[in-house]
Amino acid sequence: MLSQLSIRDIVLIETLDIDFSKGLSVLTGETGAGKSILLDALSLALGARGDASLVRHGAKHGQVTALFDLAPTHPVRALLEESGIDAEASEPVILRRMQSDDGRTRGFVNDQPASAGLLKSIGRALVEIHGQHDDRALVDAATHRDLLDAFGGLKSEVAHVGSLFRSWKAAEKALAVHRARVEETAREADYLRASHEELSKLAPEPGEEEGLAEKRAQMMRAEKIAGDLNEAHDVLSGQASPVPHIASLLRRLERKAEEAPGLLDDVNTALGSALDHLADAQARIEVAVNTSEFDPRELEAIEERLFALRAASRKFNVAVDDLPALAIDFADQLADLDAGESRLGELEKAAEETREVYDRAAAALSQARLGTRDELVAAVMAELPDLKLERAEFIVEMASDAEQRSEEGIDRIEFWVRTNPGTRAGPMMKVASGGELSRFLLALKVALADRGSAPTLVFDEIDTGVGGAVADAIGSRLRRLSETVQVLSVTHAPQVAARAASHFLIAKAPSHGEQVVTSVACMGDDERREEIARMLAGATITDEARAAASQLLKAG
């Protein structure tokens, strides 16, 4: 509930702090005293459009602070958390709005900067303002379905229908995605089959290009040195080889060695070593020759394979090493194409089944709403006679279309009225006059009680143009309504004022020379009786008026 409203430098208000309590609080005062200023100030704190004209003359900026005491589980707590506003569950929620004389505004929630949009979202959940020409709250047709559901206690049913709707939409999306893929794959079927066949025949392997390229390079290097190796082999092992001559010479010198002791020892050793080195060179050359030998047809085959892989790489615009993965992808797409029709049928069946489940739940919800509609109509109609609307009719216009599915079901709901028999029924805002609209809204709000309601309700002069028994009926209903939610009422009716738990007097007084400021005071019993007497009698308060005021207070 709204527990405190602080206003600084707004229009005629210089400094004002008001503490509100539970139940029904009324604000009264002479015409022009500034009652509308209070509501404008409160609306500013709740995110209404700012205006430089709201700033008091001579001030640079004005400020409005509204403090709300809320239950830890109130939905606004979750909204604050989603918006990144720090707030303990046990602490009040404080909305503050600063209005500069240049037209700019700044908003704060619990002293943390907040946009006007956030203030407005929070404000909608905290306060409803109802007046003769109010275009929000109950007269907004977009809220009527939610209000009917709240009245009937259908919240869980609506949540269930919403969950089924989202499941159906998810199934429809999965079906659409798969169908698009199957259609796209079908259009490319010939290309996929030809490409898959080509890559299957080619059978590329990971790392194959690198291995082939290296082997080809080795063969080409070997080809370049093969001639030199063969020539070296002929020199050492052919007819012109020096090895036989050196071996024959060594044998002769070995035989002569005894004839000249010590003379030929070193020579023979050197010749023997030379023969050993030449034999080793012969062996190594033979190995090199054998190694360098290759089949030219093998080189040709390697080159053909390498060129084929690279041609496929260019054709499919992928690296050679990615060809094996591409072949697998083509195979998968062909498998999807083959299995697509079967899977498509499964998804179509799933989407149809989830839609049928939704349709049954939505139809059941629609039926429940029909019953709730009759109950709400009866509850509102029961309130109308005492509000001098005994010839009027309240109608819950409900149109259901099974093909217009939504998370909220298949029903379009709007509150209509007929003010007199034989006249055309229509939306409340269009058909009812200002005074009638206020009383219709009050009857509807009493019927709804605390269901689908903000914790604080503000009624702005809804008793204008009525008096006597009708004003008393309005006061009675505001009092009943205040048993479940906090109610603030700006009123000119003494019958309404007498029903209040708290009574505030709004008055104007001179300040700072010729300037006038608005003040608000919570009245005691005697002051209250005097104010109600003024409301009954006018400018001159008589003893009879005071007696009547006392009687009203006693009855209230």
Side-chain angles (χ1 to χ4, degrees), residues 1-8 17-19 41-42 44-47 63-71 74 76-77 80 85-98 106-115 118-123 126-127:
M1 70 168 200
L2 175 64
S3 60
Q4 188 177 77
L5 182 65
S6 296
I7 305 172
R8 300 290 185 272
D17 296 297
I18 312 175
D19 293 323
L42 176 59
L44 184 67
L46 299 176
Q63 177 176 287
V64 184
T65 304
L67 187 148
F68 294 87
D69 288 326
L70 301 176
H74 193 280
V76 163
R77 302 285 186 188
L80 293 179
I85 301 293
D86 296 330
E88 294 292 334
S90 59
E91 293 180 350
V93 172
I94 303 172
L95 307 184
R96 182 162 57 93
R97 191 88 176 276
M98 296 184 67
R106 287 191 296 162
F108 301 87
V109 177
N110 288 9
D111 287 328
Q112 298 168 63
S115 66
L118 178 58
L119 287 175
K120 196 167 187 177
S121 297
I122 296 172
L126 295 179
V127 179

Side-chain angles (χ1 to χ4, degrees), residues 250-549:
L250 176 60
R251 287 194 296 272
R252 288 200 306 273
L253 290 176
E254 285 176 341
R255 289 195 294 270
K256 298 292 185 181
E258 294 180 358
E259 297 178 10
L263 179 62
L264 298 177
D265 290 348
D266 290 341
V267 173
N268 290 338
T269 298
L271 288 173
S273 177
L275 284 174
D276 290 340
H277 284 299
L278 286 173
D280 182 59
Q282 276 183 308
R284 292 180 182 277
I285 289 174
E286 286 179 359
V287 170
V289 168
N290 292 333
T291 301
S292 66
E293 287 181 349
F294 62 88
D295 186 351
R297 289 174 298 181
E298 182 182 2
L299 175 60
E300 183 179 353
I302 288 174
E303 289 181 333
E304 287 181 357
R305 176 67 176 174
L306 192 58
F307 296 156
L309 289 171
R310 289 173 176 172
S313 169
R314 290 191 297 272
K315 178 178 180 179
F316 296 111
N317 197 30
V318 297
V320 172
D321 284 344
D322 292 335
L323 288 173
L326 182 62
I328 294 173
D329 183 57
F330 284 152
D332 289 342
Q333 290 187 59
L334 286 172
D336 285 344
L337 179 61
D338 295 338
E341 291 300 327
S342 174
R343 176 62 177 158
L344 192 62
E346 293 174 3
L347 291 174
E348 286 174 343
K349 183 179 180 181
E352 183 179 358
E353 288 177 351
T354 54
R355 178 182 54 77
E356 289 174 351
V357 172
Y358 167 86
D359 285 345
R360 288 194 294 271
L365 174 60
S366 184
Q367 196 63 33
R369 282 171 172 161
L370 283 173
T372 299
R373 177 189 67 176
D374 295 340
E375 293 175 11
L376 180 59
V377 167
V380 174
M381 290 294 292
E383 300 294 332
L384 298 183
D386 288 345
L387 295 172
K388 206 176 180 180
L389 292 169
E390 63 277 357
R391 294 171 60 83
E393 182 181 1
F394 174 74
I395 302 165
V396 176
E397 182 68 16
M398 181 172 168
S400 303
D401 186 347
E403 296 303 317
Q404 296 296 316
R405 302 175 180 88
S406 72
E407 288 194 49
E408 293 77 22
I410 57 174
D411 307 308
R412 182 180 58 79
I413 294 167
E414 188 172 2
F415 297 157
W416 284 18
V417 297
R418 179 182 285 112
T419 55
N420 288 289
T423 60
R424 184 186 298 274
M428 286 191 299
M429 194 67 178
K430 295 180 179 180
V431 173
S433 65
E436 290 170 336
L437 178 60
S438 297
R439 284 175 278 155
F440 272 118
L441 293 178
L442 178 58
L444 181 56
K445 207 62 195 174
V446 170
L448 290 169
D450 60 342
R451 289 170 286 189
S453 174
T456 298
L457 305 180
V458 179
F459 292 90
D460 182 16
E461 298 186 353
I462 66 167
D463 46 48
T464 298
V466 301
V470 177
D472 187 62
I474 291 175
S476 173
R477 279 151 182 78
L478 290 176
R479 181 65 176 267
R480 280 167 49 195
L481 193 55
S482 71
E483 294 174 0
T484 54
V485 293
Q486 182 188 40
V487 178
L488 309 181
S489 178
V490 176
T491 181
H492 290 289
Q495 294 89 343
V496 173
R499 299 275 186 172
S502 300
H503 190 158
F504 295 90
L505 177 64
I506 303 175
K508 286 195 297 186
S511 174
H512 306 299
E514 296 182 358
Q515 287 192 0
V516 175
V517 297
T518 293
S519 64
V520 178
C522 185
M523 293 185 291
D525 293 342
D526 293 340
E527 296 168 312
R528 201 174 162 204
R529 184 187 62 183
E530 197 72 8
E531 170 63 8
I532 293 175
R534 182 199 62 78
M535 296 171 73
L536 286 166
T540 303
I541 303 176
T542 64
D543 291 338
E544 289 80 2
R546 291 187 178 93

